[in-house]
């Protein structure tokens, strides 16, 4: 993915939840930095200009362009690479995320308590959707500025 691939981190130890939170926070800070330093669109080649000019459909939704929902040039804000012609409304829906989803299999049991304990080590709130007093369906935590970590 454009040189942004990272190898998985494997860690075992009694402080695994703490190390996990440190790594997740670092990732969130790096992502926030990338998105706060948006790159302008790289100038289109002649072929891209011609293809864009002749396009009649949005590359995102496949719908036709109209006077109410006109054509814009969509590009990646991380790389500056042109992605294709898009409806203005579709382009605006491609907002910069402020959420880092983290998915665990079978986290509803005791293991989630290890993370909840680590999530409580600062002044930000933890948002929890409980199944009962012992199990959680989901929880999220503010990490840096407006960046959320969601489980």
């Amino acid at each position: 993915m454009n040189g942004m691939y990272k190898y998985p981190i494997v860690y075992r130890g009694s402080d695994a939840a703490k190390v996990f939170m440190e790594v997740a926070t670092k990732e969130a800070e790096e992502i926030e930095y990338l998105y706060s330093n948006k790159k302008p669109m790289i100038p289109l080649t002649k072929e891209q200009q011609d293809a864009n000019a002749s396009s009649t459909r949005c590359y995102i939704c496949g719908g036709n362009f109209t006077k109410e929902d006109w054509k814009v040039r969509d590009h990646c804000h991380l790389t500056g690479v042109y992605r294709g012609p898009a409806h203005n409304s579709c382009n605006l829906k491609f907002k910069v995320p402020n959420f880092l989803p983290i998915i665990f299999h079978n986290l509803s049991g005791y293991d989630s308590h290890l993370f909840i304990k680590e999530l409580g080590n600062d002044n930000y709130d933890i948002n929890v959707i409980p199944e009962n007093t012992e199990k959680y369906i989901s929880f999220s935590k503010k990490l840096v500025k407006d960046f959320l970590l969601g489980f």
Side-chain angles (χ1 to χ4, degrees):
M1 185 176 101
N2 298 325
M4 294 185 191
Y5 176 80
K6 289 188 174 184
Y7 286 98
I9 297 169
V10 177
Y11 179 85
R12 291 179 183 90
S14 60
D15 60 345
K18 179 180 179 187
V19 171
F20 174 81
M21 289 307 304
E22 289 169 355
V23 170
T25 301
K26 183 179 175 203
E27 287 292 318
E29 288 169 347
E30 289 176 13
I31 292 168
E32 185 178 51
Y33 173 79
L34 286 172
Y35 280 122
S36 65
N37 292 290
K38 297 174 185 172
K39 292 189 178 179
M41 184 170 64
I42 297 168
L44 273 57
T45 64
K46 176 73 171 120
E47 293 79 20
Q48 288 173 320
Q49 290 175 8
D50 292 345
N52 184 72
S54 65
S55 66
T56 59
R57 294 185 174 272
C58 173
Y59 89 97
I60 297 170
C61 74
N64 290 325
F65 296 114
T66 65
K67 289 180 183 178
E68 295 80 31
D69 205 0
W70 61 94
K71 180 182 0 178
V72 296
R73 296 174 176 178
D74 181 50
H75 75 284
C76 174
H77 289 249
L78 296 177
T79 63
V81 173
Y82 170 71
R83 292 189 283 214
H87 286 117
N88 184 55
S89 62
C90 291
N91 180 266
L92 292 173
K93 290 176 187 173
F94 270 21
K95 294 194 182 248
V96 174
N98 68 340
F99 186 79
L100 177 61
I102 297 176
I103 300 167
F104 287 97
H105 177 71
N106 252 356
L107 186 65
S108 64
Y110 176 77
D111 290 343
S112 65
H113 290 269
L114 301 172
F115 292 101
I116 293 292
K117 184 178 175 183
E118 278 304 316
L119 290 171
N121 284 337
D122 61 24
N123 294 328
Y124 294 119
D125 289 336
I126 304 168
N127 297 312
V128 178
I129 299 174
E131 184 174 321
N132 57 43
T133 58
E134 294 294 319
K135 292 185 177 184
Y136 308 117
I137 295 171
S138 171
F139 47 94
S140 61
K141 173 73 175 179
K142 189 174 187 179
L143 288 180
V144 290
K145 289 187 183 176
D146 294 321
F147 212 88
L148 293 176
L149 180 68
F151 297 84

